Amino acid sequence: MALAAVPGDGGATQGILRRQALRESAARTYARALPIVPVRARGMTVEGADGRRYLDCLSGAGALALGHNHPVVLDAIRAVLDSEAPLQVLDLATPVKDAFTDELFATLPPGLASRARVQFCGPAGTDAVEAALKLVRTATGRDGLLAFSGAYHGMTAGALAASGGAPADGVMAAGVAAADVTRLPFPYDYRCPFGVGGERGAELAAHWAEKLLDDPKGGAPHPAGMILEPVQGEGGVIPAPDGWLRRMREITAARSIPLIADEVQTGVGRTGAFWAVDHSGVEPDVMVLSKAIGGGLPLAVVVYREDLDLWPPGAHAGTFRGNQLAMAAGAATLAHVRQNNLAERAATVGGRMLERLRRFAAGRPQIGDVRGRGLMIGVELVAPEAGFATGAGVAPTGAGPVANPDHEEAPGGTTPYEASRYEVSPYEASPGGGAPYETSPGEPALYADAMRTAAPPAAPALAAAVQQECLRRGLIVELGGRHGAVIRLLPPLTITDEQTEAVLDRLTDALDASIRTAGTHSRELPPTAAPFAPPSTGDHR
């Protein structure tokens, strides 16, 4: 559907931006990098007060699974308004809530859905994280928490303490004892914490968690729960390998540790499955859901096993947990995604985008890694001239290793994790008496592997330049990852084939323009995949 034209008014835009800068908090974020004033939006298209149109690959940080103002969402909202139903009801029962709960349970992993309870929380995902932490601590009588490096779970105190960036940028998790959180390594293939990457890196990460929990002197008392993201979003779009997720499920189940899956950004078809845990077949004990489940309106819930439902009435409450418009919009969104197989569509389109971006990255060492799952895509930018020099025995700093979330079973039917069983650490003696990774006397091969897989430093300035070049070309993208050096794409699941090509054309053109301007390439770049098309009128622009 085409947007009606809006007369350009750059003067009004600048006035609004100036007043925002003068009156709003210094903590504002998106407004600093994206100096636009949206006045209309439909689908993937956002129109500013100055008349310019943009393709939106931010989608409200993933909250708009169907894009802006989708008809099924608007119809659901209008139906509630026209019915004169109360808009806010605390936690009272209503037909709207009942319909939302029915639709939500119809999408959950079957084993969880058959024995689930749902807690409606305050309107933000971070409040649902707080509720999940409170739930498992109440149910287990324990206080500790297992969380992962690179994680992001929200900005309230408990969620911030569980996040990998806490404390970050001067922000402290006030009132939360950091000692209660044990940080574990997350399998990040491109920047493997063990310097080996691939399946071996994931094995070592799982081995670390298992041995730490079983070590009476490991410093990690029996925790109340483990919280993880199936794909780390703010951490840089890092998919967790399916085999590693299954190992986390085995490790926690064997030790009666509730597993909490934070699906705030990954849920509702975003990764190519309805819930990201579906890829691995893992059924967590607790799921934290927000963003897309409200159809673009504020809504957050915790879904969990019924045997954990041990907290008393009022243990977690909130005035705005009865948002009827959000529940109606959410039910409509969940149903539309499920009935129209939009998760499968996300897998297909996302795979096509990854393939083209990886081809584009070849020969451009400034693009360190292209990774993602479904329509959750990250392009990590690096400064190759500041990294390890290429040469014999050292990997070139080109497109880099590509994270593969699907670890196939090893011969004999075991996963790579089951085949290893972690009885020998990388530094323990091998049967021949030497270190298992030793390549020369006194040189452990683990160090050599680190040299071979070491990635160049992140390039946040280049990423910021790419974001601005994208904006000039009518494309809104997000930054994330370590040092903000990952270009993140979160287009709506309704993105068309034509829009997909337009996004890729504009992004690749912006990448080449930024690389040339920065002067970081050392040879002639290949031509862009297609010429840049400036923003224009039309259904998809």
Side-chain angles (χ1 to χ4, degrees), residues 126-143:
T126 190
D127 188 65
V129 169
E130 299 286 351
L133 301 183
K134 189 184 300 182
L135 170 74
V136 297
R137 283 169 173 150
T138 300
T140 64
R142 304 190 291 265
D143 293 323

Side-chain angles (χ1 to χ4, degrees), residues 305-323:
R305 287 192 346 250
E306 59 187 358
D307 57 290
L308 297 174
D309 198 30
L310 301 177
W311 45 6
H316 197 81
T319 299
F320 293 103
R321 56 195 157 134
N323 187 334

Side-chain angles (χ1 to χ4, degrees), residues 324-386:
Q324 298 295 280
L325 293 181
M327 292 178 190
T333 297
L334 294 170
H336 191 78
V337 171
R338 178 174 58 83
Q339 293 166 4
N340 291 276
N341 300 316
L342 292 188
E344 291 82 355
R345 164 78 178 164
T348 300
V349 176
R352 194 160 66 238
M353 294 178 77
L354 284 170
E355 181 182 2
R356 179 169 160 186
L357 287 169
R358 285 169 179 161
R359 288 201 311 268
F360 176 81
R364 291 171 172 84
Q366 297 83 3
I367 302 176
D369 195 23
V370 176
R371 56 181 178 261
R373 201 154 205 181
L375 288 173
M376 194 171 182
I377 295 171
V379 179
E380 182 164 349
L381 302 183
V382 298
E385 73 284 355

Side-chain angles (χ1 to χ4, degrees), residues 238-249:
I238 306 171
D242 289 340
W244 178 85
L245 272 177
R246 289 190 283 268
R247 284 294 297 136
M248 292 303 102
R249 174 68 286 184

